[in-house]
């Protein structure tokens, strides 16, 4: 079953996606990531990014996405 989720892009991911956020449909995190990796210019960025689902790092890509979930795409950050 597909759920509507909000995907928020941060820093370099935002530049690659060309937008700050969007609502997409996906049943699992893996399905969502597959859809994002199929977009030109976003595949390499998503492969290097961390992902949070409702502010928690998921333990598995095959986790079901609940309706209304917020998925953050976070590029690596430098700093100390």
């Amino acid at each position: 079953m597909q759920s509507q989720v909000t995907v928020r892009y941060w820093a370099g991911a935002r530049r690659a996606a060309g937008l700050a956020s969007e609502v997409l449909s996906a049943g699992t995190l893996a399905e969502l990531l597959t859809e994002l990796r199929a977009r030109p210019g976003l595949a390499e960025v998503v492969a290097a990014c961390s992902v949070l689902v409702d502010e928690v790092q998921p333990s598995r890509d095959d986790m079901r996405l609940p309706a209304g979930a917020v998925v953050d795409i976070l590029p690596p950050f430098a700093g100390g």
Side-chain angles (χ1 to χ4, degrees):
M1 183 172 155
Q2 300 280 310
S3 298
Q4 295 284 313
V5 300
T6 299
V7 180
R8 299 189 304 188
Y9 302 100
W10 299 93
R14 179 179 291 186
R15 283 187 296 280
L19 48 105
S21 67
E22 64 182 316
V23 176
L24 297 173
S25 295
T28 65
L29 179 58
E31 289 173 8
L32 177 66
L33 294 175
T34 297
E35 179 179 340
L36 296 178
R37 289 180 185 128
R39 296 181 180 181
L42 199 53
E44 290 180 21
V45 174
V46 171
C49 286
S50 297
V51 176
L52 299 178
V53 177
D54 291 333
E55 300 183 9
V56 176
Q57 187 171 13
S59 59
R60 301 170 20 170
D61 282 355
D62 65 347
M63 71 172 285
R64 302 244 9 112
L65 292 173
V70 175
V71 179
D72 290 304
I73 307 297
L74 303 161
F77 293 95

